[in-house]
Amino acid sequence: DSGVTQTPKHLITATGQRVTLRCSPRSGDLSVYWYQQSLDQGLQFLIQYYNGEERAKGNILERFSAQQFPDLHSELNLSSLELGDSALYFCASSVEIIDTQYFGPGTRLTVL
Amino acid sequence: GDSVTQMEGPVTLSEEAFLTINCTYTATGYPSLFWYVQYPGEGLQLLLKATKADDKGSNKGFEATYRKETTSFHLEKGSVQVSDSAVYFCALSKPTGGFKTIFGAGTRLFVKA
């Protein structure tokens, strides 16, 4: 158990819908990262937050957005969902910006 | 842009065999290099890391050396066990204001008893 929690574990929704994935980092970790893992694209870095501020951006679509709240938990919002958004979404956390990342168990999103 | 290339899997070995999973990278600057492991149904776990050239990362019998001259970070283990069956990801990270991590495609390892 890494200490990073993600909810929900599974999510099934329809195209065009909007969903919110939630991540609670390890106690004391200030940095949160979001990743998308799919069969065809592999593991893609989406975005990083540090103490509430966005610090690095990867291959995140404009339909996706994220934020980190004052209690340091983070949410990833996915809107206008498409079939191709079906994937595993992982959250990771670390103490500082440049540090070992600890991954959560992931949220499996299925878009029908 | 920056990238990581790993050998394609799956790799199938017998227990106690020697393991090598090749990883090469392309990056400007001075990235840190990592190996992560993903067991079935779980998230990624850091296996080992190296932050500068010629550093050797090691953990649980696995080793990898940061070779800047060949831009490589090959993963090795002298004697694999069935419990090592998993997917292994090579990754690089660079400070870019934040800390952007780029992963390789992953290599699935099967170890037979």
Side-chain angles (χ1 to χ4, degrees):
Chain A
D1 184 355
S2 67
V4 178
T5 60
Q6 290 187 247
T7 56
K9 199 173 177 64
H10 300 279
L11 197 49
I12 301 174
T13 188
T15 53
Q17 295 298 304
R18 172 189 169 95
V19 297
T20 298
L21 312 184
R22 182 188 169 100
C23 168
S24 293
R26 293 187 323 154
S27 177
D29 284 1
L30 298 177
S31 195
V32 168
Y33 312 74
W34 285 98
Y35 295 88
Q36 180 193 57
Q37 186 178 37
S38 61
L39 283 175
D40 55 342
Q41 295 287 325
L43 192 61
Q44 300 281 324
F45 166 73
L46 295 178
I47 198 163
Q48 179 203 10
Y49 281 84
Y50 177 78
N51 205 20
E53 291 187 9
E54 181 186 306
R55 295 304 295 266
K57 216 165 187 175
N59 302 321
I60 188 166
L61 300 171
E62 286 192 12
R63 300 184 285 110
F64 295 0
S65 64
Q67 54 184 324
Q68 186 179 27
F69 294 87
D71 67 352
L72 300 176
H73 90 272
S74 178
E75 293 181 356
L76 179 67
N77 299 296
L78 315 176
S79 61
S80 302
L81 285 168
E82 302 175 359
L83 295 177
D85 297 328
S86 295
L88 260 173
Y89 290 85
F90 287 106
C91 168
S93 72
S94 64
V95 176
E96 289 292 338
I97 292 175
I98 303 176
D99 210 339
T100 298
Q101 297 176 47
Y102 295 86
F103 282 74
T107 292
R108 182 172 292 282
L109 173 67
T110 302
V111 182
L112 301 175
Chain B
D2 299 340
S3 65
V4 175
T5 302
Q6 296 181 227
M7 62 188 286
E8 284 191 27
V11 173
T12 303
L13 296 173
S14 297
E15 208 165 22
E16 298 184 4
F18 185 85
L19 169 71
T20 299
I21 300 178
N22 290 338
C23 170
T24 56
Y25 69 90
T26 301
T28 57
Y30 303 94
S32 295
L33 301 176
F34 303 81
W35 277 102
Y36 284 85
V37 59
Q38 185 177 28
Y39 298 102
E42 297 183 12
L44 279 70
Q45 302 173 26
L46 178 67
L47 183 58
L48 52 85
K49 68 178 181 182
T51 57
K52 61 183 188 296
D54 299 325
D55 267 2
K56 177 187 280 190
S58 60
N59 185 27
K60 299 181 182 178
F62 291 89
E63 292 182 343
T65 301
Y66 188 166
R67 302 282 188 204
K68 196 163 177 64
E69 63 277 12
T70 54
T71 62
S72 65
F73 193 55
H74 304 322
L75 182 69
E76 295 182 338
K77 187 175 185 184
S79 176
V80 293
Q81 306 300 313
V82 172
S83 57
D84 293 326
S85 298
V87 181
Y88 292 82
F89 291 90
C90 184
L92 71 83
S93 290
K94 288 193 333 185
T96 55
F99 198 49
K100 183 175 175 179
T101 304
I102 296 171
F103 285 84
T107 302
R108 185 174 294 278
L109 170 67
F110 291 106
V111 180
K112 303 179 298 185

mmCIF file of all heavy atoms in Angstrom, chain A residues 3 8 15 17 28 34 40 43-44 54 60 62 72 76 82 84 86-88 92 104 108:
data_model
loop_
_atom_site.group_PDB
_atom_site.id
_atom_site.type_symbol
_atom_site.label_atom_id
_atom_site.label_comp_id
_atom_site.label_asym_id
_atom_site.label_seq_id
_atom_site.Cartn_x
_atom_site.Cartn_y
_atom_site.Cartn_z
ATOM 1 N N GLY A 3 -0.043 4.390 0.189
ATOM 2 C CA GLY A 3 -0.553 5.511 0.969
ATOM 3 C C GLY A 3 -1.308 6.520 0.128
ATOM 4 O O GLY A 3 -1.910 7.441 0.666
ATOM 5 N N PRO A 8 -13.232 6.935 -7.791
ATOM 6 C CA PRO A 8 -13.614 5.551 -7.517
ATOM 7 C C PRO A 8 -12.610 4.570 -8.111
ATOM 8 O O PRO A 8 -11.710 4.984 -8.840
ATOM 9 C CB PRO A 8 -14.968 5.433 -8.231
ATOM 10 C CG PRO A 8 -14.824 6.353 -9.405
ATOM 11 C CD PRO A 8 -13.996 7.515 -8.919
ATOM 12 N N THR A 15 -20.438 8.246 -23.707
ATOM 13 C CA THR A 15 -19.780 9.322 -24.458
ATOM 14 C C THR A 15 -20.527 10.633 -24.233
ATOM 15 O O THR A 15 -21.752 10.653 -24.041
ATOM 16 C CB THR A 15 -19.763 9.025 -25.965
ATOM 17 O OG1 THR A 15 -21.102 8.746 -26.396
ATOM 18 C CG2 THR A 15 -18.880 7.825 -26.275
ATOM 19 N N GLN A 17 -20.327 12.491 -21.628
ATOM 20 C CA GLN A 17 -20.502 12.780 -20.204
ATOM 21 C C GLN A 17 -19.251 13.396 -19.598
ATOM 22 O O GLN A 17 -18.187 13.483 -20.230
ATOM 23 C CB GLN A 17 -20.864 11.500 -19.447
ATOM 24 C CG GLN A 17 -22.207 10.913 -19.837
ATOM 25 C CD GLN A 17 -23.354 11.865 -19.542
ATOM 26 O OE1 GLN A 17 -23.537 12.316 -18.413
ATOM 27 N NE2 GLN A 17 -24.131 12.173 -20.562
ATOM 28 N N GLY A 28 1.679 14.306 4.097
ATOM 29 C CA GLY A 28 2.924 15.060 4.024
ATOM 30 C C GLY A 28 3.411 15.354 2.618
ATOM 31 O O GLY A 28 4.299 16.197 2.444
ATOM 32 N N TRP A 34 -0.810 13.333 -12.268
ATOM 33 C CA TRP A 34 -1.828 12.511 -12.904
ATOM 34 C C TRP A 34 -1.257 11.880 -14.176
ATOM 35 O O TRP A 34 -0.566 12.544 -14.956
ATOM 36 C CB TRP A 34 -3.059 13.331 -13.270
ATOM 37 C CG TRP A 34 -3.921 13.679 -12.096
ATOM 38 C CD1 TRP A 34 -3.930 14.847 -11.396
ATOM 39 C CD2 TRP A 34 -4.899 12.838 -11.481
ATOM 40 N NE1 TRP A 34 -4.858 14.791 -10.386
ATOM 41 C CE2 TRP A 34 -5.471 13.571 -10.416
ATOM 42 C CE3 TRP A 34 -5.367 11.539 -11.728
ATOM 43 C CZ2 TRP A 34 -6.485 13.048 -9.601
ATOM 44 C CZ3 TRP A 34 -6.366 11.018 -10.922
ATOM 45 C CH2 TRP A 34 -6.917 11.772 -9.879
ATOM 46 N N ASP A 40 -2.892 1.535 -26.190
ATOM 47 C CA ASP A 40 -2.238 2.035 -27.397
ATOM 48 C C ASP A 40 -1.267 3.178 -27.119
ATOM 49 O O ASP A 40 -0.301 3.361 -27.858
ATOM 50 C CB ASP A 40 -3.294 2.472 -28.426
ATOM 51 C CG ASP A 40 -4.279 3.492 -27.863
ATOM 52 O OD1 ASP A 40 -4.353 3.599 -26.626
ATOM 53 O OD2 ASP A 40 -4.960 4.155 -28.656
ATOM 54 N N LEU A 43 1.844 4.738 -20.895
ATOM 55 C CA LEU A 43 1.660 5.568 -19.706
ATOM 56 C C LEU A 43 2.057 6.998 -20.051
ATOM 57 O O LEU A 43 3.209 7.272 -20.358
ATOM 58 C CB LEU A 43 2.525 5.029 -18.582
ATOM 59 C CG LEU A 43 2.286 5.567 -17.179
ATOM 60 C CD1 LEU A 43 0.878 5.260 -16.713
ATOM 61 C CD2 LEU A 43 3.289 4.947 -16.220
ATOM 62 N N GLN A 44 1.079 7.894 -19.971
ATOM 63 C CA GLN A 44 1.303 9.281 -20.365
ATOM 64 C C GLN A 44 1.151 10.200 -19.161
ATOM 65 O O GLN A 44 0.142 10.153 -18.451
ATOM 66 C CB GLN A 44 0.278 9.689 -21.428
ATOM 67 C CG GLN A 44 0.316 8.860 -22.699
ATOM 68 C CD GLN A 44 1.437 9.277 -23.609
ATOM 69 O OE1 GLN A 44 1.770 10.450 -23.716
ATOM 70 N NE2 GLN A 44 2.056 8.302 -24.247
ATOM 71 N N GLU A 54 -0.255 24.587 -10.327
ATOM 72 C CA GLU A 54 0.167 23.766 -11.457
ATOM 73 C C GLU A 54 1.644 24.012 -11.734
ATOM 74 O O GLU A 54 2.087 25.165 -11.835
ATOM 75 C CB GLU A 54 -0.647 24.120 -12.690
ATOM 76 C CG GLU A 54 -0.304 23.300 -13.920
ATOM 77 C CD GLU A 54 -1.052 23.801 -15.152
ATOM 78 O OE1 GLU A 54 -2.292 23.911 -15.097
ATOM 79 O OE2 GLU A 54 -0.367 24.096 -16.160
ATOM 80 N N ILE A 60 -1.997 16.584 -21.786
ATOM 81 C CA ILE A 60 -3.356 16.676 -21.262
ATOM 82 C C ILE A 60 -4.244 17.397 -22.272
ATOM 83 O O ILE A 60 -3.904 18.464 -22.781
ATOM 84 C CB ILE A 60 -3.379 17.369 -19.879
ATOM 85 C CG1 ILE A 60 -4.777 17.283 -19.262
ATOM 86 C CG2 ILE A 60 -2.847 18.785 -19.959
ATOM 87 C CD1 ILE A 60 -4.818 17.618 -17.786
ATOM 88 N N GLU A 62 -7.489 19.427 -23.828
ATOM 89 C CA GLU A 62 -8.210 20.615 -23.342
ATOM 90 C C GLU A 62 -9.513 20.239 -22.652
ATOM 91 O O GLU A 62 -10.009 20.980 -21.807
ATOM 92 C CB GLU A 62 -8.488 21.562 -24.509
ATOM 93 C CG GLU A 62 -7.260 22.309 -24.972
ATOM 94 C CD GLU A 62 -7.594 23.440 -25.924
ATOM 95 O OE1 GLU A 62 -8.789 23.777 -26.048
ATOM 96 O OE2 GLU A 62 -6.674 23.966 -26.549
ATOM 97 N N LEU A 72 -4.723 19.472 -0.070
ATOM 98 C CA LEU A 72 -3.766 18.791 -0.950
ATOM 99 C C LEU A 72 -4.359 17.643 -1.765
ATOM 100 O O LEU A 72 -3.641 17.079 -2.597
ATOM 101 C CB LEU A 72 -2.539 18.300 -0.173
ATOM 102 C CG LEU A 72 -1.756 19.414 0.525
ATOM 103 C CD1 LEU A 72 -0.614 18.839 1.340
ATOM 104 C CD2 LEU A 72 -1.228 20.423 -0.489
ATOM 105 N N LEU A 76 -9.258 15.240 -10.967
ATOM 106 C CA LEU A 76 -9.068 15.298 -12.412
ATOM 107 C C LEU A 76 -10.457 15.239 -13.039
ATOM 108 O O LEU A 76 -11.207 14.296 -12.803
ATOM 109 C CB LEU A 76 -8.219 14.120 -12.895
ATOM 110 C CG LEU A 76 -7.955 14.020 -14.403
ATOM 111 C CD1 LEU A 76 -7.077 15.174 -14.868
ATOM 112 C CD2 LEU A 76 -7.294 12.684 -14.739
ATOM 113 N N GLU A 82 -14.983 10.671 -24.753
ATOM 114 C CA GLU A 82 -14.970 9.907 -25.995
ATOM 115 C C GLU A 82 -14.554 8.476 -25.678
ATOM 116 O O GLU A 82 -13.969 8.203 -24.628
ATOM 117 C CB GLU A 82 -13.986 10.549 -26.977
ATOM 118 C CG GLU A 82 -14.302 11.995 -27.299
ATOM 119 C CD GLU A 82 -13.253 12.632 -28.175
ATOM 120 O OE1 GLU A 82 -12.260 11.958 -28.526
ATOM 121 O OE2 GLU A 82 -13.424 13.823 -28.525
ATOM 122 N N GLY A 84 -12.192 6.839 -26.794
ATOM 123 C CA GLY A 84 -10.742 6.762 -26.636
ATOM 124 C C GLY A 84 -10.221 7.221 -25.288
ATOM 125 O O GLY A 84 -9.040 7.060 -25.000
ATOM 126 N N SER A 86 -11.219 5.905 -22.572
ATOM 127 C CA SER A 86 -11.217 4.711 -21.716
ATOM 128 C C SER A 86 -9.779 4.330 -21.413
ATOM 129 O O SER A 86 -8.974 4.123 -22.327
ATOM 130 C CB SER A 86 -11.923 3.548 -22.425
ATOM 131 O OG SER A 86 -13.286 3.833 -22.629
ATOM 132 N N ALA A 87 -9.467 4.247 -20.138
ATOM 133 C CA ALA A 87 -8.079 3.998 -19.721
ATOM 134 C C ALA A 87 -8.036 3.855 -18.208
ATOM 135 O O ALA A 87 -9.036 4.028 -17.520
ATOM 136 C CB ALA A 87 -7.179 5.161 -20.151
ATOM 137 N N LEU A 88 -6.841 3.535 -17.729
ATOM 138 C CA LEU A 88 -6.550 3.587 -16.300
ATOM 139 C C LEU A 88 -5.952 4.950 -16.006
ATOM 140 O O LEU A 88 -5.012 5.374 -16.702
ATOM 141 C CB LEU A 88 -5.529 2.519 -15.934
ATOM 142 C CG LEU A 88 -5.983 1.221 -15.305
ATOM 143 C CD1 LEU A 88 -4.825 0.267 -15.200
ATOM 144 C CD2 LEU A 88 -6.619 1.448 -13.956
ATOM 145 N N ALA A 92 -0.207 10.019 -8.559
ATOM 146 C CA ALA A 92 1.002 9.754 -7.780
ATOM 147 C C ALA A 92 1.280 10.981 -6.926
ATOM 148 O O ALA A 92 0.817 12.088 -7.228
ATOM 149 C CB ALA A 92 2.188 9.453 -8.696
ATOM 150 N N GLY A 104 -0.914 5.634 -6.727
ATOM 151 C CA GLY A 104 -2.140 5.042 -6.237
ATOM 152 C C GLY A 104 -2.539 3.832 -7.064
ATOM 153 O O GLY A 104 -1.888 3.521 -8.062
ATOM 154 N N ARG A 108 -10.155 2.901 -13.081
ATOM 155 C CA ARG A 108 -10.386 2.391 -14.436
ATOM 156 C C ARG A 108 -11.644 3.039 -14.982
ATOM 157 O O ARG A 108 -12.732 2.837 -14.450
ATOM 158 C CB ARG A 108 -10.531 0.869 -14.448
ATOM 159 C CG ARG A 108 -10.729 0.327 -15.866
ATOM 160 C CD ARG A 108 -10.680 -1.178 -15.934
ATOM 161 N NE ARG A 108 -9.364 -1.719 -15.658
ATOM 162 C CZ ARG A 108 -8.357 -1.744 -16.525
ATOM 163 N NH1 ARG A 108 -8.509 -1.242 -17.731
ATOM 164 N NH2 ARG A 108 -7.209 -2.283 -16.184
#
